[in-house]
């Protein structure tokens, strides 16, 4: 048995009683229950994998625990006592901190100010903020996490992994006993993820409890000692990690046996060339990229972070103008002036970061689905709201989007449902070429399967697709060809019969056989 499996029993001096507990917690919005009768305990040093499909109630139940929303049924216990939080500050006083999926930092401020912002800052004798003491204390906390960098640096200078450590340092500065971590490795490399989990294990040994919300099941099995599964807002299974395997966990999550997630389809690629780039370049980002994608074909782009895949895609989508080479669309040379221009020509782009690049979170789901193709729902410049709502209801059914109504703010939906809204948005204009940048990031196993089925359907209907993904298995199993990027250049183009994780791994690292 691994040390994590009985970690809570072996923390010296810590009594074996729950530090926190949810007792029949539920949250109702109108007639819609976001979660209901959620009940489990959290012990000191626990690492709980909170799993379930998007919309299963994971985020809402944790928002109740963290004081972000008030439960409409049940209650929260801290150290065996019933508590009622009026807001996140009350939860922080009990030692509960949230590390959100989207970083909640101020990039233009120094690290030490981000760590102490919102808390009582050290002051000098004259009553001014003692920035020297703040910086020193911040660096002491960071060193305890294995981060030895200058706390006066601006946050924007840090890597995503180091920014995550700053978030943890801020929680520890407030004496957090429980860290609720939502998709902590979503934007991290494998090496950075390993560093982060090393820090988390040290915190567990010191008695800090972790609730790990993630769709990466391998992380759950490797780093959690217990698993809680939610489905349709309620706990359907809970136990030691050793009580589950991948197959049983997925079945609990989706409520049905799941066949193989990746099913390669045999396709005959014989359609016309939809897009061709000839020596396309943008100084400092990518150089001399010559690729083509046909109707009914998926071209996968593989590469490490910063290799130039997304920068190349943004030039095709009209966001960045290349400064060399050419783009041909259906055989005609085009100069894309903007994203709107690209959309008009039939090129749609699904961005990597849905919350900051793809959606307007405070606006209704219906508006988010239709605003990129308003010409289809308006006449003489006036939008037909009923037509817009009808379309959004149809898309909600098509994509299985869980929401109370199309009028709810899209920011109130779960991450997977937000991703489905974004897919509905980019497909509203019926594009010929679809660029998908990390289409399943932060999406649960069930929604991932649905998205793959949708991609296959689009290809069957003659769409040309460019797929960018950091998931090697995803790229290999969905693509007809794969172009590997390294330092802004294409190192190799693989045909399907040559796909190999090892060969592709070498190519994205700049090591190409025969080169």
């Amino acid at each position: 048995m691994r040390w994590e499996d009985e970690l809570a029993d072996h923390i010296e001096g810590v009594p074996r009683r729950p530090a926190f507990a949810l007792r029949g917690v539920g949250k109702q919005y109108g007639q819609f229950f976001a979660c209901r009768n959620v009940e489990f305990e959290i012990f000191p040093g626990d690492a709980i994998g909170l799993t379930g499909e998007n919309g299963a109630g994971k985020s809402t139940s944790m928002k109740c625990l963290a004081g972000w929303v008030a439960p409409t049924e049940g209650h929260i216990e801290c150290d065996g006592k019933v508590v009622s939080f009026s807001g996140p500050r009350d939860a922080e006083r009990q030692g509960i901190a949230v590390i959100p999926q989207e970083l909640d930092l101020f990039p233009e401020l120094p690290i030490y100010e981000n760590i102490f912002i919102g808390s009582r800052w050290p002051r000098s004798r004259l009553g001014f903020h003692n920035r020297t003491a703040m910086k020193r204390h911040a660096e002491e906390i960071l060193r305890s996490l294995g981060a030895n960098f200058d706390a006066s640096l601006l946050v924007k200078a840090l890597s995503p992994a180091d920014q995550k450590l700053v978030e943890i340092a801020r929680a520890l500065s407030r004496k957090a006993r429980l860290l609720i971590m939502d998709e902590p490795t979503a934007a991290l490399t494998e090496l950075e993820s390993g560093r982060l989990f090393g820090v988390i294990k040290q915190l567990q040994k010191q008695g800090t409890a972790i609730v790990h919300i993630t769709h990466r099941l391998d992380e759950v099995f490797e780093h959690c000692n217990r698993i809680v599964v939610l489905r349709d807002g309620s706990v359907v299974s809970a136990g030691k990690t050793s009580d589950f395997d991948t197959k049983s966990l997925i079945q609990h999550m989706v409520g049905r046996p799941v066949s193989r997630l990746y099913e390669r389809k045999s396709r005959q690629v014989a359609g016309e060339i939809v897009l061709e780039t000839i020596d396309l370049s943008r100084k400092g980002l990518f150089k001399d990229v010559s690729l083509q994608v046909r109707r009914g074909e998926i071209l996968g782009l593989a590469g490490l972070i910063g290799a130039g895949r997304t920068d190349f895609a943004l030039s095709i989508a009209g966001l960045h103008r290349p400064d060399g080479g050419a783009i041909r669309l259906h055989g005609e040379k085009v100069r894309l002036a903007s994203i709107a221009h690209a959309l008009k020509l039939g090129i749609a782009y699904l961005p990597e970061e849905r919350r900051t690049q793809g959606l307007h979170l405070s606006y209704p789901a219906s508006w988010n689905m239709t605003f990129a193709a308003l010409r289809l729902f308006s006449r003489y410049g006036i939008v037909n709201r009923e037509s817009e709502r009808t379309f959004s209801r149809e898309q909600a059914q098509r994509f299985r989007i869980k929401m109370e109504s199309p009028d709810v703010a899209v920011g109130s939906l779960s991450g997977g449902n937000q991703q489905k809204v974004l897919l509905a948005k980019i497909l509203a204009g019926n594009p010929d070429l679809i660029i998908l940048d990390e289409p399943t990031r932060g999406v649960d196993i069930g929604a991932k399967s649905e998205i793959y089925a949708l991609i296959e359907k689009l290809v069957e209907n003659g769409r040309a697709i460019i797929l960018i993904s950091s998931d090697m298995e995803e790229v290999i199993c969905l693509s007809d060809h794969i172009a590997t990027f390294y330092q802004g250049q294409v190192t190799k183009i693989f045909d399907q019969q040559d796909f190999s994780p090892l060969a592709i791994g070498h190519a994205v690292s700049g090591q190409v056989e025969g080169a």
Side-chain angles (χ1 to χ4, degrees):
M1 183 177 291
R2 302 177 309 164
W3 69 268
E4 295 96 327
D5 292 333
E6 294 188 1
L7 179 63
D9 291 315
H10 289 80
I11 300 173
E12 188 175 351
V14 177
R16 180 61 177 170
R17 67 179 185 186
F20 306 95
L22 292 88
R23 305 293 189 193
V25 166
K27 181 63 179 178
Q28 184 175 4
Y29 296 96
Q31 299 299 311
F32 173 70
F33 277 93
C35 64
R36 194 169 198 178
N37 198 31
V38 176
E39 185 151 346
F40 63 91
E41 298 175 330
I42 304 167
F43 292 88
D46 253 341
I48 296 176
L50 188 61
T51 65
E53 292 190 274
N54 290 114
K58 304 185 300 295
S59 295
T60 302
S61 59
M62 289 301 97
K63 286 177 180 178
C64 291
L65 177 57
W68 290 10
V69 298
T72 50
E73 62 181 34
H75 63 266
I76 306 295
E77 291 181 5
C78 294
D79 300 317
K81 298 178 181 179
V82 177
V83 293
S84 179
F85 299 140
S86 61
R89 288 292 181 87
D90 282 353
E92 282 183 4
R93 293 186 188 100
Q94 295 291 338
I96 301 171
V98 178
I99 311 297
Q101 180 179 351
E102 308 294 336
L103 288 169
D104 188 23
L105 298 172
F106 294 89
E108 299 293 339
L109 293 182
I111 294 166
Y112 70 86
E113 288 192 18
N114 272 276
I115 288 175
F116 289 107
I117 201 162
S119 60
R120 193 180 298 275
W121 292 13
R123 293 182 180 272
S124 66
R125 290 180 181 178
L126 299 176
F128 297 107
H129 291 138
N130 190 334
R131 296 183 182 277
T132 301
M134 289 165 57
K135 179 176 177 293
R136 183 174 61 250
H137 186 39
E139 289 176 348
E140 288 172 359
I141 299 172
L142 289 166
R143 276 196 298 272
S144 74
L145 299 175
N148 296 309
F149 42 72
D150 186 345
S152 62
L153 289 172
L154 298 185
V155 161
K156 68 179 182 181
L158 301 180
S159 69
D162 285 336
Q163 289 183 20
K164 193 72 71 173
L165 290 182
V166 172
E167 292 251 34
I168 295 174
R170 181 166 64 188
L172 296 181
S173 74
R174 300 172 189 184
K175 305 189 184 306
R177 297 186 293 148
L178 167 63
L179 294 182
I180 301 170
M181 308 194 75
D182 191 355
E183 297 289 353
T185 62
L188 305 187
T189 64
E190 187 174 345
L191 180 62
E192 290 172 331
S193 297
R195 281 180 53 211
L196 179 64
F197 281 118
V199 169
I200 290 171
K201 284 187 178 181
Q202 290 302 315
L203 294 175
Q204 286 176 251
K205 289 179 179 178
Q206 296 164 18
T208 305
I210 310 291
V211 172
H212 187 167
I213 305 172
T214 182
H215 299 304
R216 297 184 176 183
L217 302 188
D218 56 331
E219 292 181 355
V220 172
F221 284 107
E222 186 173 354
H223 300 292
C224 297
N225 62 297
R226 290 199 290 133
I227 295 174
V228 175
V229 186
L230 295 182
R231 187 173 72 241
D232 296 330
S234 301
V235 175
V236 293
S237 185
K240 292 183 178 179
T241 302
S242 55
D243 295 337
F244 297 85
D245 59 25
T246 302
K247 186 176 180 180
S248 65
L249 179 55
I250 293 173
Q251 187 164 342
H252 284 303
M253 289 169 59
V254 302
R256 62 187 186 279
V258 176
S259 59
R260 189 178 175 189
L261 181 61
Y262 301 95
E263 292 288 349
R264 180 186 293 283
K265 297 292 180 71
S266 178
R267 290 191 289 266
Q268 296 295 323
V269 180
E272 65 165 310
I273 296 173
V274 175
L275 173 84
E276 182 178 16
T277 64
I278 304 165
D279 294 331
L280 201 68
S281 302
R282 183 174 168 87
K283 189 173 181 180
L285 297 176
F286 57 90
K287 182 180 179 182
D288 298 333
V289 178
S290 296
L291 295 172
Q292 58 180 225
V293 59
R294 297 173 177 269
R295 284 194 180 278
E297 176 183 69
I298 298 176
L299 172 64
L301 304 185
L304 303 175
I305 293 174
R309 301 169 304 167
T310 293
D311 296 307
F312 167 72
L314 289 174
S315 290
I316 298 171
L319 186 63
H320 297 321
R321 288 193 181 186
D323 47 31
I327 298 174
R328 291 187 180 276
L329 195 63
H330 301 294
E332 298 291 329
K333 188 174 180 180
V334 295
R335 291 178 63 86
L336 301 170
S338 64
I339 287 181
H341 184 205
L343 277 170
K344 189 174 181 180
L345 294 177
I347 301 173
Y349 173 65
L350 183 141
E352 180 180 7
E353 298 294 340
R354 59 177 172 262
R355 293 175 63 88
T356 57
Q357 299 173 351
L359 298 171
H360 292 262
L361 299 180
S362 61
Y363 282 66
S366 59
W367 187 89
N368 273 276
M369 290 184 204
T370 59
F371 82 90
L374 284 178
R375 68 185 185 282
L376 302 177
F377 309 97
S378 59
R379 190 176 183 185
Y380 305 121
I382 300 173
V383 177
N384 185 326
R385 296 299 179 192
E386 189 54 41
S387 173
E388 187 181 53
R389 288 191 186 94
T390 299
F391 173 83
S392 59
R393 281 192 289 267
E394 291 171 350
Q395 297 309 295
Q397 186 174 6
R398 175 187 178 191
F399 290 96
R400 295 180 62 192
I401 301 170
K402 293 181 180 179
M403 57 184 176
E404 187 179 353
S405 81
D407 296 323
V408 300
V410 76
S412 68
L413 304 181
S414 67
N417 285 310
Q418 289 179 12
Q419 189 75 345
K420 292 176 184 179
V421 169
L422 185 54
L423 279 165
K425 166 195 161 184
I426 70 163
L427 295 176
N430 201 24
D432 289 326
L433 173 66
I434 303 164
I435 305 168
L436 303 173
D437 196 347
E438 303 288 358
T440 63
R441 173 175 288 175
V443 167
D444 67 70
I445 200 90
K448 194 177 268 194
S449 181
E450 292 171 5
I451 290 172
Y452 292 154
L454 172 65
I455 291 172
E456 292 290 352
K457 192 72 173 176
L458 291 169
V459 174
E460 288 173 9
N461 291 336
R463 303 294 192 279
I465 293 178
I466 295 176
L467 171 69
I468 304 171
S469 177
S470 300
D471 184 332
M472 180 74 77
E473 189 177 4
E474 183 169 276
V475 173
I476 287 176
C477 290
L478 289 177
S479 303
D480 297 292
H481 306 282
I482 295 175
T484 53
F485 278 70
Y486 175 73
Q487 294 185 350
Q489 293 186 287
V490 173
T491 53
K492 190 167 183 177
I493 300 175
F494 291 84
D495 292 326
Q496 199 173 83
Q497 66 269 18
D498 300 322
F499 288 177
S500 154
L502 182 60
I504 293 171
H506 282 160
V508 300
S509 301
Q511 306 167 36
V512 182
E513 292 181 13

